[in-house]
């Protein structure tokens, strides 16, 4: 389960046979954001974990991976 307490958004994933089922609610579409990040990661060649960068500051966090 994904939960954003500040926004009141949530997403829950469960397996049903060979299928994955997702339910989500609240003002933000958390699971849609996860899928978009996975699509982008795959489009960039699925870089290894060593290439990821995380920046945390007053405006929030940013997760990046340099192209290359």
């Amino acid at each position: 389960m994904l939960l954003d307490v500040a926004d009141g958004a949530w997403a829950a994933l469960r397996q049903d046979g060979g299928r994955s089922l997702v339910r989500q609610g609240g003002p933000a579409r958390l699971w849609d954001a996860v899928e978009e990040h996975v699509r982008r990661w795959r489009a960039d060649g699925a870089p290894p974990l060593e290439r990821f960068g995380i920046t945390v500051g007053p405006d929030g966090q940013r997760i990046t991976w340099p192209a290359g």
Side-chain angles (χ1 to χ4, degrees):
M1 175 172 251
L2 297 174
L3 180 62
D4 184 338
V5 176
D7 286 340
W10 59 272
L13 172 70
R14 73 178 179 93
Q15 298 296 318
D16 182 18
R19 302 179 327 161
S20 297
L21 303 174
V22 176
R23 292 186 62 206
Q24 57 187 338
R29 307 294 289 178
L30 296 179
W31 193 256
D32 294 350
V34 167
E35 287 184 334
E36 178 56 32
H37 283 291
V38 169
R39 276 192 289 276
R40 196 174 117 222
W41 173 72
R42 287 180 177 158
D44 287 345
L49 190 55
E50 294 83 29
R51 298 225 348 251
F52 280 71
I54 300 174
T55 305
V56 179
D59 297 328
Q61 72 178 21
R62 187 169 44 117
I63 301 171
T64 59
W65 53 86

